[in-house]
Amino acid sequence: MDFRASNAYTGSIQGYVFTTRNGRTGYYEDPQQPKTDKTIDAILEKADDEDIEEIDQAAVRKLLLTLEKRITRNAQLRVKYADEPSKFVESEVDLDDAIKGLGLCAAAPEYYGEFARLGGVGSVVGLLAHENGDIAASAVALLFDLTDADDAVGEEAIKGHAAFVEALIKCEGLETLSQSLERFDEGVPEEAQARHHALGVFEHIIEDEEVAKRSARVLQTWLASRIVAKKGDDAVKLYSAEVLSILCGSCATILATPETIDALLRACAKYRRKDPEGPDDEELLENLFQSLAALLSGASSTAVPEFVKAEGVELMLRCLSEGRAAAAPSLRVLAAALEHPRDDAMEEATGAPRRVISADGMRHLFPALMGRGAARGAVVGAADRRAKKRRKRRRNDDQRALDEHVVACVAALCLYASQENAPDEARARLVRKFLEKDQEKLKKVLERYGGYMRDVVAIEREGGADPLQTLARALGAGLHALRLCGAILAFCAVFAPAARPTLLEGLGRGGVGELANCVSDLAAAVHEEGSEGGDGAAAA
């Protein structure tokens, strides 16, 4: 049945009746009366006669009325002249103009609620499937502009933005947007921009947890395939990795699938022997490794076994050994994989600690623990490529983060080797590492333990009115790394008797002798985390 949208009665029209059906108001075809297209078009054309000087509710209604009229007219002509495009091409130009005209609404998000109430969101989403790719691209660009929350300033604007997003979800806009990504060809600049806009819509709205989860489900397959594609627009690939990184941080349990993890590892493998070619490529590298780390931390029960089975441990160790820009991020990924003790840690197929040791990972981790080796060179080299005025500060920040990741990896290996059912060879190899070369590695851990403790104690002495703020500052000063260093020292105290004199000497030097009691506490933590630790766990 023919329908011409109109938010108000504009007079009797031959062949039509003015009414509201299914929430849509306007002139509906009356089969009992003859209709005249020219008559109704002439009357509804009044909606275009006046220019819009400012956006208010009336202007929103007028713009949507124009859009609905042109959607309907274009659909009619496409059906009537399906084999003669020249007869409906003008209507598509008019429709495209109407879509672009709605961009004025982006300046007044306080009226988005009216936009949604009148069914405008559903109409725009419906255009994403239009046969004309230019129309679909214009609709995507409009959604990109209207979902940008940066323009929503003030209570009414924020409510309007929320109403728009709610309407977008109700009309299955996220699903339709994800499908539209498939239709655009990145070889065409305009269509590559349309993909960029579609990803931008998702980025604008995924701060909400439920929206993020829904977005993760509909985008997962496409993002996984896009980050490994060898052809296409680089800007779209970068944006895809950025959106994936955001979603991995909030929806790890949804995205921690073999498909996503395999795609991320394949994308990361590119940087094993190759540095980024520019700032954008460097950002892409960071997003890819960050996504992996987020999955491993946020969904360890499913992500870690898949990561190990896909030989992710070996890839990260190779990246670390090469000393390229990927060396430091690979340490972050390894730390995330090793961070959470798991029941299957003893399994060769799925246990990350066991795989690290069997792959000779200690050969790369311990030089980094000593502050030398490939990883440290990568951090310094990356810093040297940045602006001169930021170089020293960034290098120091990166090195501190690198140190904490290395400590986390080594502590995880110690916790693993302390278990009663851990392979004797794994424990013996770890002990030998700490005792070799005059126990230099153990002394380095003692040095860091004392340094972290001094920083944390200084924060605690400063205190503050807010205990949570004080805790946050202590964590920034190295509280977590302090605990991890303590776990390493506890392991040495329990399983390496030859190290005990060095431990006692180190803990009694530099004003930190009172910290010796922490070793026994942390040894007890080793015993507790390992369900059944070594007999000497409580004796440190």
Side-chain angles (χ1 to χ4, degrees), residues 490 493-495 517 519-528 533-540:
V494 174
F495 297 105
N517 290 333
V519 177
S520 61
D521 295 337
L522 290 161
V526 172
H527 178 82
E528 182 179 351
D535 293 337

Side-chain angles (χ1 to χ4, degrees), residues 69-288:
K69 183 194 69 173
R70 294 183 178 179
I71 289 174
T72 302
R73 188 59 178 165
N74 175 247
Q76 289 176 335
L77 292 175
R78 271 189 164 271
V79 172
K80 189 173 182 180
Y81 303 107
D83 297 327
E84 300 178 76
S86 62
K87 293 190 176 182
F88 60 74
V89 65
E90 186 176 350
S91 71
E92 302 206 340
V93 173
D94 292 340
L95 176 56
D96 193 60
D97 289 342
I99 297 170
K100 290 181 169 65
L102 279 169
L104 294 171
C105 296
E110 58 269 25
Y111 298 116
Y112 283 5
E114 182 71 4
F115 190 108
R117 187 184 69 79
L118 294 172
V121 179
S123 296
V124 176
V125 168
L127 291 171
L128 297 177
H130 196 279
E131 292 88 343
N132 187 327
D134 292 337
I135 298 292
S138 293
V140 172
L142 177 61
L143 289 175
F144 176 80
D145 291 337
L146 297 181
T147 54
D148 189 351
D150 290 343
D151 295 326
V153 179
E155 184 177 352
E156 291 301 317
I158 293 173
K159 287 182 179 178
H161 185 270
F164 189 97
V165 174
E166 182 180 358
L168 183 64
I169 293 172
K170 283 184 177 179
C171 68
E172 298 186 346
L174 301 186
E175 291 78 2
T176 308
L177 262 175
S178 67
Q179 292 168 8
S180 73
L181 286 167
E182 298 284 355
R183 71 175 293 179
F184 296 121
D185 179 6
E186 291 178 31
V188 179
E190 293 79 10
E191 296 192 25
Q193 185 64 33
R195 273 192 172 179
H196 201 277
H197 281 148
L199 290 168
V201 174
F202 284 102
E203 186 193 14
H204 289 162
I205 64 178
I206 56 179
E207 288 186 4
D208 180 87
E209 183 178 354
E210 291 304 315
V211 176
K213 289 179 179 178
R214 191 161 180 168
S215 299
R217 292 187 180 96
V218 301
L219 283 177
Q220 180 175 7
T221 300
W222 188 85
L223 289 175
S225 63
R226 183 62 193 85
I227 60 174
V228 296
K230 295 182 179 180
K231 297 181 179 180
D233 186 82
D234 290 341
V236 173
K237 186 173 186 176
L238 174 60
Y239 209 179
S240 301
E242 182 179 346
V243 171
L244 180 59
S245 177
I246 296 171
L247 290 174
C248 285
S250 58
C251 308
T253 53
I254 296 172
L255 294 171
T257 64
E259 176 189 36
T260 304
I261 291 172
D262 179 69
L264 283 168
L265 289 173
R266 287 162 56 197
C268 290
K270 166 188 173 183
Y271 299 101
R272 181 166 69 94
R273 294 181 177 176
K274 178 183 178 183
D275 282 328
E277 296 177 354
D280 287 348
D281 205 19
E282 187 173 348
E283 184 179 351
L284 175 60
L285 179 153
E286 181 64 26
N287 284 328
L288 294 172

Side-chain angles (χ1 to χ4, degrees), residues 499-520:
R500 291 171 186 168
T502 303
L503 284 169
L504 292 175
E505 180 184 359
L507 291 172
R509 187 174 58 240
V512 293
E514 69 276 9
L515 307 178
N517 290 333
C518 293
V519 177
S520 61

Side-chain angles (χ1 to χ4, degrees), residues 289-452:
F289 280 84
Q290 178 58 38
S291 297
L292 262 181
L295 292 181
L296 294 169
S297 295
S300 60
S301 61
T302 52
V304 173
E306 295 299 336
F307 175 76
V308 176
K309 286 190 286 188
E311 299 186 352
V313 170
E314 288 82 352
L315 175 61
M316 295 303 113
L317 290 174
R318 291 191 191 104
C319 290
L320 183 58
S321 68
E322 292 292 339
R324 301 286 183 176
S330 67
L331 263 178
R332 182 168 71 241
V333 173
L334 282 173
L338 294 166
E339 184 178 9
H340 303 286
R342 296 175 39 76
D343 294 337
D344 61 357
M346 302 300 167
E347 300 294 330
E348 180 68 28
T350 58
R354 180 164 182 172
R355 185 67 69 86
V356 169
I357 293 177
S358 64
D360 202 17
M362 290 188 290
R363 182 165 60 92
H364 306 298
L365 290 175
F366 277 90
L369 179 68
M370 295 300 296
R372 57 177 181 258
R376 189 180 192 285
V379 171
V380 175
D384 286 342
R385 290 191 293 270
R386 297 183 176 96
K388 184 176 181 180
K389 64 181 181 180
R390 300 171 54 200
R391 185 177 302 162
K392 183 175 180 180
R393 176 180 59 81
R394 182 60 182 269
R395 182 174 65 237
N396 291 339
D397 290 345
D398 286 351
Q399 188 57 49
R400 184 179 182 87
L402 174 68
D403 290 342
E404 293 186 4
H405 293 320
V406 174
V407 167
C409 290
V410 175
L413 297 181
C414 290
L415 287 169
Y416 160 75
S418 70
Q419 309 306 313
E420 185 177 23
N421 56 342
D424 291 337
E425 176 58 23
R427 186 182 301 117
R429 290 177 63 185
L430 197 54
V431 168
R432 286 197 298 270
K433 276 291 182 182
F434 283 108
L435 296 181
E436 69 182 12
K437 297 183 180 179
D438 194 29
Q439 302 182 16
E440 62 173 6
K441 299 171 184 64
L442 176 60
K443 292 174 183 177
K444 174 60 72 172
V445 176
L446 280 166
E447 177 187 325
R448 291 188 178 174
Y449 183 69
Y452 287 133

